[in-house]
Amino acid sequence: IPDVPNVTVADNCDPPEFTFTQDTVFEACPLNYTINRFWFVDDGCGRTDMGRQTIIVTDTIGPEIIGVGENEMLLLSCEDPIPDPNPNVVADDNCSVPQLTYTQDTTFGACQYEMTIFRQWVADDGCGRTDTARQTIVITDDIGPEIINAPENDTVRVDCVA
């Protein structure tokens, strides 16, 4: 927002009376508003002049989530550790401090250790502009069981003794 200009006045006779006023009109979104600046000069003899400056402030840039990819996907085996959500995820905005919310949902697969974890971060600047980042973690059990220390595939013949 520009500073109030240093406005001067002049009159050929007496110094005129000079006034300055400023008002701010807010819209439904408090980040969007109009500043009206008025300068009024009166020489006391019925001659006046007025100047006006209108500044329209509009927040057109939404928030941005930092610390997680936009649509990040991790593929893990059931033996891999599941990473915790990044505690350093933040939301940034050019005009406000956005609210950052986090949700997590888990869908289980057909097998006990198979699942998909859906994580979502939403940043909201309070004026209808949002950013969303998602992380999907797919956990699979794609390695079959293995018998360990079993005898080889041998045929053992045993005579029956009466």
Side-chain angles (χ1 to χ4, degrees):
I1 297 174
D3 291 333
V4 176
N6 185 17
V7 175
T8 59
V9 296
D11 187 62
N12 63 338
C13 294
D14 293 323
E17 181 183 323
F18 178 68
T19 56
F20 168 76
T21 60
Q22 176 175 300
D23 66 23
T24 303
V25 179
F26 290 95
E27 296 180 20
C29 170
L31 302 176
N32 297 336
Y33 55 94
T34 301
I35 299 172
N36 296 300
R37 295 174 174 167
F38 300 96
W39 293 266
F40 185 77
V41 63
D42 184 343
D43 71 357
C45 296
R47 290 175 291 280
T48 61
D49 195 13
M50 185 180 92
R52 178 179 181 171
Q53 180 184 41
T54 301
I55 302 167
I56 300 171
V57 179
T58 305
D59 180 12
T60 59
I61 299 172
E64 178 183 3
I65 296 174
I66 301 165
V68 64
E70 186 174 324
N71 286 305
E72 187 175 286
M73 179 172 276
L74 301 174
L75 302 174
L76 303 175
S77 174
C78 63
E79 59 195 14
D80 296 326
I82 298 171
D84 291 330
N86 183 351
N88 299 317
V89 174
V90 295
D92 188 33
D93 189 63
N94 65 328
C95 290
S96 68
V97 177
Q99 179 180 357
L100 182 64
T101 57
Y102 168 78
T103 57
Q104 178 174 307
D105 188 31
T106 303
T107 302
F108 293 94
C111 296
Q112 179 180 358
Y113 297 103
E114 292 185 338
M115 66 184 82
T116 303
I117 300 171
F118 302 96
R119 295 175 174 168
Q120 178 172 283
W121 292 262
V122 177
D124 186 335
D125 71 357
C127 290
R129 285 169 294 285
T130 61
D131 186 26
T132 302
R134 293 177 180 89
Q135 180 185 59
T136 304
I137 302 172
V138 178
I139 302 162
T140 60
D141 181 4
D142 53 4
I143 298 174
E146 178 183 343
I147 296 176
I148 300 172
N149 294 327
E152 295 291 324
N153 287 337
D154 289 338
T155 301
V156 179
R157 294 187 187 271
V158 179
D159 289 329
C160 184
V161 178

